[in-house]
């Protein structure tokens, strides 16, 4: 398995979607709450279409996003993007790979 941790800043409390694609299984936690788990064996397609699209809730301020990818065979990868409740890209957020200083 491999893990990735990111911090997502939202200017207000809001609902959204998390567009996911993984090779292979994937589990996701937002602010410590599991929001998705899909134990599958698959590969990432060239078109990078979101296959898993769980609902998420972001709190105002910094939110943690933890992704776990499990591997069965071959290469592994994942993609995650935060979307609005209607599926469009959420453009007014910030994403960091390192902890924010005010967290």
């Amino acid at each position: 398995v491999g893990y990735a941790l990111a911090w997502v800043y939202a200017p207000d409390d809001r609902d959204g979607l998390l567009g996911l694609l993984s090779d292979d299984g994937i589990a996701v936690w937002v602010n410590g709450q599991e929001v998705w788990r899909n134990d599958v064996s698959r590969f990432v397609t060239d078109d990078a279409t979101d296959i898993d699209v769980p609902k998420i809730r972001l709190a105002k301020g910094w939110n943690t996003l933890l992704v776990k990818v499990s591997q069965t065979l071959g290469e592994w990868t994942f993609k995650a993007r935060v979307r609005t409740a209607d599926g469009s890209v959420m453009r007014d957020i910030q994403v960091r790979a390192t902890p924010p200083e005010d967290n």
Side-chain angles (χ1 to χ4, degrees):
V1 297
Y3 289 89
L5 178 62
W7 287 262
V8 180
Y9 181 85
D12 50 34
D13 293 340
R14 60 176 69 179
D15 294 319
L17 301 170
L18 193 58
L20 301 168
L21 183 60
S22 64
D23 178 350
D24 290 301
I26 191 166
V28 179
W29 295 262
V30 175
N31 295 325
Q33 298 286 337
E34 186 174 301
V35 297
W36 190 251
R37 180 175 295 269
N38 192 357
D39 294 321
V40 295
S41 180
R42 64 182 177 198
F43 64 94
V44 172
T45 60
D46 290 339
D47 67 2
T49 301
D50 297 338
I51 292 178
D52 301 319
V53 189
K55 293 179 181 179
I56 61 169
R57 177 77 177 158
L58 295 176
K60 179 179 180 179
W62 289 103
N63 298 265
T64 58
L65 175 65
L66 177 63
V67 178
K68 173 185 173 183
V69 178
S70 59
Q71 182 55 33
T72 55
L73 193 58
E75 296 181 8
W76 67 277
T77 190
F78 79 93
K79 173 188 72 74
R81 53 184 159 184
V82 181
R83 298 183 166 278
T84 64
D86 70 6
S88 60
V89 175
M90 201 176 285
R91 301 204 181 274
D92 64 344
I93 61 169
Q94 298 175 42
V95 179
R96 296 182 54 114
T98 58
E101 293 179 15
D102 61 352
N103 194 8

XYZ file of all heavy atoms in Angstrom:
811
model
N 0.842 -1.191 0.000
C 0.000 0.000 0.000
C 0.877 1.240 0.000
O 2.035 1.210 0.413
C -0.980 0.041 1.201
C -1.949 -1.112 1.165
C -0.251 0.093 2.508
N 0.297 2.324 -0.464
C 0.949 3.627 -0.421
C -0.053 4.642 0.094
O -1.268 4.496 -0.109
N 0.458 5.656 0.785
C -0.404 6.698 1.343
C 0.035 8.055 0.815
O 1.226 8.287 0.605
C -0.314 6.722 2.870
C -0.965 5.548 3.547
C -0.245 4.381 3.787
C -2.294 5.613 3.953
C -0.839 3.305 4.423
C -2.893 4.534 4.581
C -2.159 3.383 4.811
O -2.743 2.315 5.440
N -0.930 8.963 0.661
C -0.654 10.358 0.322
C -1.505 11.224 1.237
O -2.672 10.917 1.495
C -0.994 10.634 -1.135
N -0.910 12.301 1.739
C -1.604 13.223 2.629
C -1.496 14.624 2.051
O -0.407 15.053 1.648
C -0.978 13.176 4.028
C -1.555 14.116 5.075
C -3.024 13.812 5.346
C -0.738 14.031 6.361
N -2.620 15.321 2.004
C -2.637 16.701 1.516
C -3.560 17.517 2.416
O -4.410 16.978 3.118
C -3.130 16.758 0.074
N -3.373 18.816 2.379
C -4.215 19.754 3.105
C -4.967 20.576 2.080
O -4.386 21.087 1.124
C -3.372 20.648 4.007
C -2.843 19.921 5.191
C -3.382 19.922 6.447
C -1.688 19.075 5.264
N -2.639 19.123 7.287
C -1.595 18.591 6.580
C -0.740 18.660 4.337
C -0.591 17.734 6.996
C 0.252 17.803 4.740
C 0.328 17.356 6.062
N -6.267 20.734 2.306
C -7.140 21.466 1.389
C -7.790 22.606 2.161
O -8.453 22.384 3.181
C -8.236 20.540 0.807
C -9.140 21.318 -0.133
C -7.608 19.339 0.101
N -7.606 23.840 1.668
C -8.200 25.009 2.321
C -9.496 25.384 1.614
O -9.515 25.595 0.398
C -7.247 26.211 2.294
C -7.836 27.405 2.981
C -7.718 27.548 4.359
C -8.534 28.368 2.273
C -8.285 28.630 5.014
C -9.105 29.450 2.913
C -8.978 29.579 4.276
O -9.544 30.638 4.924
N -10.577 25.480 2.379
C -11.864 25.936 1.852
C -12.224 27.258 2.532
O -12.084 27.379 3.753
C -12.945 24.905 2.121
N -12.687 28.262 1.768
C -13.017 29.550 2.372
C -14.287 29.522 3.225
O -14.549 30.454 3.975
C -13.180 30.481 1.178
C -13.428 29.603 0.014
C -12.779 28.289 0.320
N -15.087 28.449 3.115
C -16.298 28.308 3.914
C -16.667 26.827 4.011
O -16.086 25.993 3.321
C -17.456 29.114 3.311
C -17.653 28.839 1.829
O -17.423 27.693 1.379
O -18.031 29.769 1.099
N -17.617 26.508 4.905
C -18.132 25.142 4.977
C -18.866 24.841 3.681
O -19.630 25.686 3.193
C -19.122 24.995 6.141
C -18.477 25.139 7.502
O -17.251 24.970 7.603
O -19.209 25.411 8.466
N -18.644 23.631 3.126
C -19.316 23.310 1.869
C -19.307 21.818 1.593
O -18.442 21.087 2.048
C -18.669 24.032 0.711
C -17.194 23.660 0.543
C -16.574 24.304 -0.649
N -16.469 25.738 -0.445
C -15.948 26.561 -1.320
N -15.465 26.121 -2.447
N -15.881 27.857 -1.099
N -20.292 21.413 0.804
C -20.349 20.057 0.287
C -19.673 20.027 -1.067
O -19.625 21.039 -1.782
C -21.806 19.595 0.140
C -22.502 19.473 1.480
O -21.868 18.976 2.427
O -23.676 19.865 1.566
N -19.162 18.882 -1.425
C -18.518 18.726 -2.722
C -18.422 17.263 -3.090
O -19.040 16.398 -2.464
N -17.653 17.022 -4.110
C -17.379 15.677 -4.591
C -15.877 15.510 -4.701
O -15.153 16.491 -4.895
C -18.019 15.452 -5.970
C -19.524 15.631 -6.064
C -19.966 15.610 -7.524
C -20.236 14.549 -5.282
N -15.412 14.295 -4.603
C -13.999 14.001 -4.796
C -13.892 13.072 -5.996
O -14.373 11.946 -5.957
C -13.423 13.341 -3.542
C -11.913 13.254 -3.449
C -11.269 14.632 -3.532
C -11.510 12.574 -2.161
N -13.331 13.573 -7.082
C -13.151 12.763 -8.282
C -11.901 11.922 -8.136
O -10.805 12.454 -7.947
N -12.049 10.602 -8.209
C -10.943 9.681 -7.959
C -10.745 8.712 -9.108
O -11.702 8.313 -9.776
C -11.222 8.855 -6.701
C -11.432 9.615 -5.407
C -11.987 8.687 -4.344
C -10.129 10.255 -4.958
N -9.503 8.330 -9.289
C -9.123 7.273 -10.213
C -7.900 6.612 -9.616
O -6.999 7.302 -9.124
C -8.800 7.859 -11.587
C -8.443 6.882 -12.691
C -9.572 5.900 -12.952
C -8.124 7.638 -13.973
N -7.864 5.283 -9.612
C -6.750 4.596 -8.954
C -6.386 3.308 -9.660
O -7.186 2.705 -10.356
C -7.114 4.279 -7.496
O -8.199 3.375 -7.444
N -5.145 2.903 -9.441
C -4.609 1.621 -9.888
C -3.888 1.067 -8.653
O -2.765 1.468 -8.366
C -3.645 1.837 -11.042
C -2.994 0.559 -11.554
O -3.129 -0.490 -10.916
O -2.323 0.622 -12.594
N -4.470 0.359 -7.844
C -5.666 -0.473 -7.855
C -6.668 0.062 -6.825
O -7.255 1.098 -7.036
C -5.334 -1.931 -7.540
C -4.562 -2.609 -8.695
O -5.095 -2.666 -9.822
O -3.437 -3.059 -8.472
N -6.832 -0.622 -5.687
C -7.818 -0.228 -4.689
C -7.524 1.120 -4.069
O -6.383 1.586 -4.037
N -8.576 1.766 -3.546
C -8.412 3.096 -2.967
C -9.329 3.268 -1.761
O -10.436 2.739 -1.732
C -8.687 4.194 -4.022
C -8.273 5.574 -3.517
C -10.140 4.145 -4.503
C -8.210 6.636 -4.603
N -8.823 3.979 -0.757
C -9.615 4.397 0.401
C -9.250 5.846 0.677
O -8.098 6.249 0.472
C -9.330 3.525 1.622
N -10.235 6.651 1.113
C -10.013 8.083 1.308
C -10.668 8.533 2.609
O -11.795 8.136 2.916
C -10.596 8.900 0.133
C -10.386 10.391 0.345
C -9.995 8.465 -1.193
N -9.944 9.374 3.358
C -10.448 9.998 4.568
C -10.351 11.512 4.427
O -9.330 12.032 3.967
C -9.624 9.577 5.779
C -9.721 8.127 6.114
C -10.532 7.563 7.060
C -8.965 7.049 5.536
N -10.329 6.206 7.092
C -9.374 5.862 6.164
C -8.004 6.968 4.528
C -8.851 4.624 5.840
C -7.483 5.728 4.199
C -7.904 4.569 4.852
N -11.400 12.215 4.813
C -11.401 13.674 4.881
C -11.604 14.041 6.346
O -12.591 13.626 6.958
C -12.506 14.295 3.994
C -12.563 15.802 4.183
C -12.274 13.950 2.522
N -10.642 14.764 6.889
C -10.679 15.167 8.301
C -10.898 13.972 9.231
O -11.643 14.040 10.204
C -11.746 16.238 8.534
C -11.411 17.517 7.808
O -10.248 17.894 7.679
N -12.422 18.196 7.304
N -10.244 12.854 8.908
C -10.297 11.671 9.758
C -11.514 10.784 9.555
O -11.596 9.709 10.151
N -12.452 11.185 8.728
C -13.652 10.396 8.460
C -13.510 9.688 7.112
O -13.244 10.342 6.094
C -14.901 11.297 8.409
C -15.199 12.007 9.698
C -15.758 11.071 10.750
O -16.310 10.022 10.458
N -15.601 11.455 12.012
N -13.678 8.366 7.109
C -13.604 7.645 5.841
C -14.787 8.042 4.967
O -15.936 7.970 5.394
C -13.611 6.132 6.064
C -13.397 5.364 4.776
C -13.258 3.870 4.973
O -12.338 3.455 5.715
O -14.083 3.137 4.412
N -14.489 8.456 3.723
C -15.537 8.871 2.784
C -15.649 7.929 1.595
O -16.628 7.977 0.859
C -15.314 10.316 2.281
C -15.395 11.309 3.438
C -13.995 10.458 1.544
N -14.646 7.057 1.397
C -14.695 6.157 0.246
C -13.754 4.984 0.445
O -12.665 5.137 0.993
C -14.307 6.898 -1.019
C -14.560 6.083 -2.248
C -13.615 5.510 -3.064
C -15.808 5.757 -2.822
N -14.229 4.844 -4.099
C -15.580 4.986 -3.972
C -17.129 6.029 -2.467
C -16.607 4.480 -4.770
C -18.141 5.534 -3.262
C -17.870 4.775 -4.397
N -14.191 3.822 -0.033
C -13.336 2.638 -0.074
C -13.797 1.803 -1.255
O -14.977 1.521 -1.399
C -13.438 1.833 1.213
C -12.550 0.587 1.205
C -12.585 -0.117 2.543
N -12.006 0.725 3.588
C -10.717 0.714 3.928
N -9.867 -0.080 3.310
N -10.281 1.502 4.895
N -12.857 1.421 -2.122
C -13.158 0.573 -3.271
C -11.985 -0.386 -3.450
O -10.936 0.001 -3.956
C -13.383 1.415 -4.526
C -13.982 0.618 -5.657
O -14.187 -0.584 -5.556
N -14.271 1.302 -6.759
N -12.180 -1.616 -3.007
C -11.139 -2.640 -3.107
C -11.261 -3.323 -4.464
O -12.015 -4.290 -4.619
C -11.274 -3.656 -1.975
C -11.014 -3.029 -0.622
O -10.094 -2.191 -0.530
O -11.722 -3.359 0.337
N -10.546 -2.788 -5.445
C -10.639 -3.278 -6.820
C -9.245 -3.556 -7.373
O -8.246 -3.114 -6.816
C -11.348 -2.259 -7.746
C -12.788 -2.062 -7.340
C -10.599 -0.937 -7.772
N -9.215 -4.252 -8.481
C -7.993 -4.439 -9.260
C -8.274 -3.846 -10.631
O -9.106 -4.368 -11.378
C -7.651 -5.925 -9.370
O -6.468 -6.090 -10.120
N -7.650 -2.713 -10.935
C -7.905 -2.010 -12.194
C -6.699 -1.187 -12.575
O -5.750 -1.063 -11.803
C -9.146 -1.121 -12.077
C -8.983 0.007 -11.059
C -10.232 0.820 -10.928
N -10.087 1.847 -9.909
C -11.086 2.474 -9.343
N -12.335 2.177 -9.674
N -10.873 3.404 -8.435
N -6.731 -0.586 -13.755
C -5.653 0.285 -14.192
C -6.220 1.654 -14.522
O -7.422 1.816 -14.706
C -4.917 -0.314 -15.393
C -5.768 -0.456 -16.620
C -5.794 0.530 -17.582
C -6.556 -1.590 -16.806
C -6.587 0.404 -18.701
C -7.347 -1.731 -17.926
C -7.370 -0.726 -18.876
N -5.341 2.644 -14.575
C -5.737 4.010 -14.901
C -5.748 4.150 -16.418
O -4.752 3.879 -17.078
C -4.780 5.033 -14.254
C -5.070 6.441 -14.742
C -4.889 4.958 -12.740
N -6.873 4.581 -16.941
C -7.017 4.753 -18.387
C -6.342 6.036 -18.858
O -6.092 6.945 -18.072
C -8.498 4.787 -18.779
O -9.129 5.883 -18.106
C -9.203 3.493 -18.389
N -6.057 6.111 -20.141
C -5.403 7.295 -20.707
C -6.253 8.553 -20.597
O -5.728 9.655 -20.503
C -5.041 7.055 -22.172
C -3.912 6.062 -22.324
O -3.155 5.871 -21.358
O -3.790 5.467 -23.411
N -7.581 8.420 -20.613
C -8.425 9.618 -20.559
C -8.575 10.172 -19.139
O -9.078 11.263 -18.952
C -9.794 9.365 -21.181
C -10.646 8.389 -20.385
O -10.210 7.909 -19.322
O -11.760 8.105 -20.846
N -8.130 9.430 -18.127
C -8.106 9.878 -16.719
C -9.478 10.326 -16.221
O -9.590 11.254 -15.442
C -7.063 10.976 -16.517
N -10.530 9.667 -16.679
C -11.885 9.963 -16.228
C -12.050 9.566 -14.766
O -11.580 8.512 -14.351
C -12.905 9.185 -17.090
O -12.730 9.565 -18.449
C -14.324 9.456 -16.659
N -12.735 10.408 -13.986
C -13.036 10.063 -12.598
C -13.961 8.851 -12.594
O -15.027 8.877 -13.213
C -13.736 11.222 -11.889
C -12.874 12.466 -11.790
O -11.645 12.343 -11.877
O -13.433 13.558 -11.625
N -13.566 7.797 -11.904
C -14.393 6.597 -11.810
C -15.168 6.585 -10.491
O -16.354 6.314 -10.457
C -13.542 5.326 -11.957
C -13.005 5.251 -13.389
C -14.354 4.087 -11.608
C -12.102 4.068 -13.645
N -14.491 6.898 -9.400
C -15.135 6.966 -8.090
C -15.393 8.435 -7.778
O -14.493 9.269 -7.934
C -14.233 6.366 -7.017
C -13.878 4.910 -7.303
O -14.765 4.159 -7.729
O -12.709 4.542 -7.109
N -16.606 8.761 -7.331
C -16.944 10.171 -7.070
C -17.764 10.268 -5.774
O -18.969 10.517 -5.808
C -17.718 10.790 -8.262
C -17.869 12.305 -8.070
C -17.030 10.500 -9.587
N -17.099 10.087 -4.621
C -17.835 10.175 -3.357
C -18.148 11.621 -2.983
O -17.435 12.550 -3.360
C -16.860 9.563 -2.346
C -15.513 9.831 -2.927
C -15.696 9.724 -4.422
N -19.228 11.775 -2.216
C -19.569 13.080 -1.648
C -18.625 13.365 -0.493
O -18.239 12.457 0.249
C -21.005 13.081 -1.148
C -22.022 12.950 -2.249
C -23.425 12.932 -1.682
C -24.435 12.769 -2.811
N -25.814 12.716 -2.304
N -18.248 14.640 -0.340
C -17.392 15.051 0.777
C -17.958 16.318 1.398
O -18.765 17.025 0.793
C -15.927 15.287 0.348
C -15.817 16.393 -0.700
C -15.298 13.996 -0.141
C -14.401 16.852 -0.969
N -17.507 16.604 2.606
C -17.863 17.836 3.314
C -16.560 18.490 3.745
O -15.762 17.879 4.468
C -18.726 17.514 4.534
C -19.092 18.704 5.365
C -20.193 19.501 4.727
N -20.568 20.618 5.589
C -21.173 21.693 5.150
N -21.497 21.798 3.882
N -21.469 22.661 5.969
N -16.328 19.719 3.284
C -15.159 20.484 3.695
C -15.583 21.513 4.726
O -16.626 22.160 4.577
C -14.522 21.200 2.498
C -13.931 20.309 1.416
C -13.430 21.160 0.245
C -12.821 19.439 1.958
N -14.793 21.652 5.771
C -15.028 22.673 6.782
C -14.276 23.934 6.383
O -13.291 23.878 5.643
C -14.545 22.177 8.142
N -14.716 25.075 6.877
C -13.998 26.320 6.628
C -12.606 26.192 7.214
O -12.428 25.740 8.346
C -14.727 27.490 7.270
C -14.025 28.811 7.064
C -14.780 29.952 7.698
C -14.036 31.257 7.453
N -14.765 32.401 8.030
N -11.590 26.552 6.422
C -10.204 26.457 6.871
C -9.517 25.250 6.258
O -9.911 24.755 5.207
N -8.497 24.752 6.945
C -7.692 23.642 6.432
C -8.332 22.300 6.763
O -8.733 22.057 7.899
C -6.276 23.701 6.991
C -5.504 24.831 6.402
C -5.218 26.027 7.012
C -4.948 24.899 5.098
N -4.519 26.831 6.148
C -4.325 26.164 4.962
C -4.901 24.028 4.015
C -3.676 26.573 3.806
C -4.248 24.424 2.857
C -3.650 25.680 2.763
N -8.401 21.441 5.767
C -8.949 20.091 5.872
C -7.869 19.106 5.466
O -7.084 19.383 4.562
C -10.138 19.924 4.919
C -11.283 20.852 5.231
O -12.203 20.475 5.926
N -11.228 22.079 4.723
N -7.843 17.930 6.111
C -6.886 16.904 5.697
C -7.544 15.941 4.724
O -8.726 15.616 4.847
C -6.347 16.109 6.895
O -7.429 15.507 7.595
C -5.534 16.998 7.821
N -6.754 15.515 3.756
C -7.175 14.534 2.761
C -6.125 13.432 2.750
O -4.972 13.673 2.393
C -7.282 15.180 1.377
C -7.592 14.257 0.211
C -8.973 13.654 0.351
C -7.482 15.022 -1.102
N -6.512 12.242 3.199
C -5.610 11.093 3.251
C -6.101 10.056 2.255
O -7.274 9.674 2.277
C -5.576 10.495 4.661
C -4.723 9.237 4.852
C -3.250 9.527 4.588
C -4.932 8.662 6.248
N -5.201 9.610 1.374
C -5.532 8.627 0.348
C -4.646 7.406 0.541
O -3.433 7.536 0.727
C -5.317 9.202 -1.066
C -5.621 8.163 -2.138
C -6.147 10.456 -1.280
N -5.261 6.234 0.501
C -4.545 4.961 0.586
C -4.800 4.205 -0.715
O -5.939 4.028 -1.121
C -5.065 4.139 1.763
C -4.498 2.736 1.843
C -5.184 1.970 2.964
C -4.764 0.521 2.978
N -5.481 -0.224 4.027
N -3.725 3.779 -1.381
C -3.849 2.999 -2.610
C -3.215 1.639 -2.370
O -2.074 1.546 -1.918
C -3.163 3.707 -3.797
C -3.253 2.863 -5.054
C -3.792 5.075 -4.040
N -3.984 0.581 -2.652
C -3.454 -0.771 -2.522
C -3.116 -1.309 -3.905
O -3.717 -0.920 -4.898
C -4.471 -1.676 -1.827
O -5.676 -1.725 -2.563
N -2.143 -2.176 -3.947
C -1.636 -2.680 -5.225
C -1.757 -4.192 -5.285
O -1.424 -4.878 -4.336
C -0.175 -2.257 -5.406
C 0.440 -2.676 -6.691
C -0.352 -2.211 -7.900
O -0.963 -1.170 -7.898
N -0.351 -3.000 -8.934
N -2.215 -4.692 -6.440
C -2.273 -6.135 -6.630
C -1.247 -6.618 -7.651
O -0.637 -7.654 -7.474
C -3.676 -6.589 -7.081
O -4.050 -5.873 -8.256
C -4.704 -6.351 -5.994
N -1.030 -5.839 -8.712
C -0.133 -6.275 -9.770
C 0.315 -5.072 -10.606
O -0.477 -4.180 -10.873
C -0.872 -7.270 -10.674
C -0.075 -8.099 -11.665
C 0.980 -8.932 -10.964
C -1.016 -9.015 -12.430
N 1.574 -5.035 -11.001
C 2.061 -3.990 -11.903
C 2.263 -2.650 -11.228
O 2.519 -2.565 -10.032
N 2.135 -1.584 -12.012
C 2.333 -0.226 -11.514
C 1.126 0.213 -10.684
O 0.061 -0.383 -10.744
C 2.517 0.732 -12.690
C 3.757 0.439 -13.507
C 3.936 1.409 -14.653
O 3.194 2.398 -14.734
O 4.827 1.171 -15.462
N 1.317 1.292 -9.915
C 0.203 1.851 -9.180
C 0.246 3.368 -9.253
O 1.317 3.973 -9.380
C 0.163 1.368 -7.735
C 1.289 1.846 -6.874
C 2.528 1.297 -6.790
C 1.285 2.959 -6.002
N 3.293 2.002 -5.903
C 2.547 3.034 -5.401
C 0.339 3.907 -5.651
C 2.884 4.017 -4.479
C 0.668 4.885 -4.737
C 1.938 4.920 -4.158
N -0.936 3.965 -9.182
C -1.070 5.411 -9.228
C -2.470 5.793 -8.754
O -3.337 4.942 -8.617
C -0.806 5.953 -10.650
O -0.715 7.368 -10.609
C -1.897 5.534 -11.611
N -2.681 7.067 -8.512
C -4.026 7.552 -8.234
C -4.115 9.007 -8.658
O -3.112 9.685 -8.866
C -4.397 7.407 -6.746
C -3.814 8.486 -5.871
C -4.536 9.629 -5.581
C -2.546 8.363 -5.342
C -4.005 10.622 -4.774
C -1.994 9.343 -4.536
C -2.732 10.478 -4.257
N -5.343 9.467 -8.785
C -5.649 10.866 -9.082
C -6.818 11.255 -8.198
O -7.733 10.458 -7.976
C -6.038 11.018 -10.549
C -6.527 12.396 -10.920
C -7.071 12.429 -12.322
C -8.382 11.738 -12.458
N -9.539 12.434 -11.910
N -6.772 12.449 -7.647
C -7.876 12.966 -6.843
C -8.050 14.439 -7.161
O -7.069 15.173 -7.242
C -7.594 12.780 -5.357
N -9.296 14.847 -7.375
C -9.555 16.273 -7.561
C -10.851 16.651 -6.874
O -11.824 15.910 -6.906
C -9.551 16.678 -9.017
C -10.416 15.925 -9.929
C -10.200 16.409 -11.355
N -10.660 15.369 -12.254
C -10.547 15.421 -13.539
N -9.963 16.437 -14.104
N -10.995 14.450 -14.281
N -10.809 17.807 -6.223
C -11.958 18.298 -5.473
C -12.898 19.004 -6.440
O -12.476 19.860 -7.222
C -11.507 19.252 -4.341
C -12.699 19.744 -3.550
C -10.504 18.553 -3.426
N -14.172 18.622 -6.371
C -15.185 19.173 -7.270
C -16.332 19.779 -6.453
O -16.538 19.415 -5.299
C -15.734 18.080 -8.178
C -14.674 17.478 -9.074
C -15.305 16.445 -9.996
N -14.426 16.082 -11.083
C -14.264 16.778 -12.203
N -14.913 17.893 -12.388
N -13.449 16.357 -13.132
N -17.065 20.675 -7.083
C -18.259 21.226 -6.445
C -19.338 20.150 -6.429
O -19.204 19.105 -7.072
C -18.777 22.456 -7.212
O -19.180 22.039 -8.518
C -17.708 23.547 -7.307
N -20.431 20.413 -5.738
C -21.527 19.445 -5.654
C -22.132 19.140 -7.020
O -22.680 18.065 -7.227
C -22.599 19.946 -4.694
N -22.004 20.073 -7.991
C -22.538 19.807 -9.334
C -21.510 19.157 -10.257
O -21.782 18.917 -11.425
C -23.106 21.078 -9.970
C -22.048 22.107 -10.360
O -20.829 21.826 -10.260
O -22.438 23.218 -10.780
N -20.296 18.905 -9.746
C -19.283 18.196 -10.517
C -18.237 19.058 -11.189
O -17.255 18.542 -11.714
N -18.411 20.380 -11.176
C -17.387 21.238 -11.778
C -16.177 21.333 -10.834
O -16.271 21.009 -9.650
C -17.952 22.629 -12.079
O -18.415 23.243 -10.898
N -15.054 21.779 -11.353
C -13.840 21.881 -10.551
C -13.995 23.000 -9.522
O -14.460 24.095 -9.845
C -12.613 22.144 -11.459
C -11.366 22.369 -10.626
C -12.417 20.989 -12.421
N -13.629 22.731 -8.281
C -13.699 23.720 -7.212
C -12.457 24.611 -7.323
O -11.361 24.195 -6.971
C -13.768 23.000 -5.860
C -14.328 23.838 -4.756
S -14.494 22.935 -3.189
C -15.925 21.921 -3.488
N -12.620 25.805 -7.804
C -11.483 26.672 -8.133
C -11.046 27.617 -7.009
O -9.991 28.218 -7.111
C -11.803 27.473 -9.384
C -12.092 26.573 -10.570
C -11.855 27.262 -11.882
N -12.168 26.394 -12.995
C -11.340 25.516 -13.541
N -10.135 25.384 -13.031
N -11.704 24.788 -14.565
N -11.829 27.763 -5.964
C -11.470 28.718 -4.916
C -10.863 28.054 -3.679
O -10.892 28.608 -2.597
C -12.681 29.569 -4.534
C -13.810 28.750 -3.925
O -13.795 27.503 -4.061
O -14.705 29.350 -3.308
N -10.280 26.875 -3.859
C -9.606 26.190 -2.756
C -8.098 26.252 -2.964
O -7.632 26.580 -4.056
C -10.055 24.716 -2.637
C -9.707 23.949 -3.921
C -11.533 24.621 -2.290
C -9.874 22.457 -3.810
N -7.369 25.931 -1.919
C -5.916 25.774 -1.999
C -5.576 24.352 -1.583
O -6.224 23.800 -0.696
C -5.206 26.734 -1.053
C -5.429 28.199 -1.335
C -4.772 29.041 -0.236
O -3.662 28.761 0.193
N -5.490 30.046 0.212
N -4.567 23.777 -2.205
C -4.125 22.438 -1.859
C -2.629 22.491 -1.585
O -1.874 23.088 -2.355
C -4.420 21.427 -2.985
C -3.924 20.033 -2.608
C -5.910 21.402 -3.298
N -2.217 21.882 -0.478
C -0.805 21.860 -0.088
C -0.368 20.432 0.196
O -1.139 19.650 0.741
C -0.582 22.679 1.178
C -0.867 24.154 1.035
C -0.560 24.849 2.333
N 0.807 24.537 2.746
C 1.785 25.407 2.827
N 1.565 26.657 2.540
N 2.982 25.049 3.220
N 0.867 20.140 -0.125
C 1.446 18.835 0.194
C 2.197 18.874 1.521
O 2.577 17.842 2.046
C 2.387 18.388 -0.915
N 2.391 20.065 2.068
C 3.049 20.221 3.362
C 2.076 20.889 4.323
O 1.191 21.626 3.893
C 4.321 21.072 3.246
O 3.980 22.351 2.695
C 5.352 20.398 2.357
N 2.220 20.639 5.616
C 1.265 21.223 6.573
C 1.289 22.744 6.508
O 2.342 23.369 6.436
C 1.787 20.747 7.932
C 2.671 19.592 7.653
C 3.218 19.809 6.286
N 0.101 23.364 6.529
C 0.046 24.822 6.571
C 0.584 25.330 7.911
O 0.438 24.659 8.932
C -1.439 25.132 6.406
C -2.146 23.868 6.721
C -1.208 22.753 6.488
N 1.190 26.474 7.899
C 1.803 27.022 9.114
C 0.784 27.369 10.176
O 1.076 27.303 11.359
C 2.648 28.242 8.777
C 3.861 27.887 7.946
C 4.686 29.098 7.580
O 4.494 30.166 8.190
O 5.540 28.970 6.700
N -0.447 27.722 9.778
C -1.450 28.127 10.759
C -2.355 26.969 11.162
O -3.383 27.179 11.775
C -2.295 29.269 10.216
C -3.071 28.900 8.953
O -2.849 27.803 8.388
O -3.885 29.715 8.516
N -1.976 25.732 10.849
C -2.807 24.567 11.165
C -2.611 24.135 12.595
O -1.600 24.034 13.137
C -2.479 23.408 10.231
C -3.521 22.325 10.289
O -4.571 22.489 10.903
N -3.231 21.232 9.636
